[in-house]
């Protein structure tokens, strides 16, 4: 029988890790890639973030609230990546000199 942890880790640390990776991936892809290739690679990056959210939550090994944490990771990453891609889209509309 396992003993309960006296001071369990914060369960939402994995959510914040996934959000941070989503921010970093979006910014790097937006800077490195040309305008025509951004959307397909953002979709690929989002797919990787979804798989990463499952992996991180399974690695933490807490059963309680698993679905809530995974959905918070995925929905938050979707919103973050969407807002950053909107920013890059608006920046692409500005004419360069």
């Amino acid at each position: 029988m396992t003993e309960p942890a006296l001071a369990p880790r914060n369960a939402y640390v994995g959510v914040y890790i996934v959000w941070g990776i989503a921010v970093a991936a979006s910014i790097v892809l937006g800077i490195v890639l040309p305008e025509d290739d951004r959307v397909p690679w953002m979709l690929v990056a989002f797919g990787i973030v979804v798989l990463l959210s499952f992996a991180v939550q399974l690695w933490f090994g807490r059963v309680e609230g698993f679905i809530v944490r995974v959905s918070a990771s995925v929905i938050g990453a979707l919103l973050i990546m969407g807002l950053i891609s909107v920013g890059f889209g608006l920046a692409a509309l500005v004419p360069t000199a």
Side-chain angles (χ1 to χ4, degrees), residues 5-93:
L6 296 177
R9 294 178 288 192
N10 185 1
Y12 287 96
V13 171
V15 175
Y16 304 139
I17 291 170
V18 171
W19 288 354
I21 292 171
V23 168
S26 298
I27 291 173
V28 167
L29 289 175
I31 291 172
V32 171
L33 295 175
E35 294 174 11
D36 296 337
D37 294 337
R38 283 185 190 149
V39 173
W41 281 103
M42 285 286 218
L43 292 173
V44 170
F46 180 68
I48 292 170
V49 166
V50 169
L51 295 175
L52 181 69
S53 68
F54 279 105
V56 167
Q57 293 304 323
L58 287 172
W59 179 70
F60 271 94
R62 297 207 40 199
V63 176
E64 300 85 18
F66 176 79
I67 299 297
V68 173
R69 290 190 311 272
V70 170
S71 62
S73 297
V74 171
I75 292 171
L78 178 67
L79 291 175
I80 288 168
M81 293 179 83
L83 289 174
I84 292 173
S85 66
V86 164
F88 279 115
L90 291 175
L93 294 176

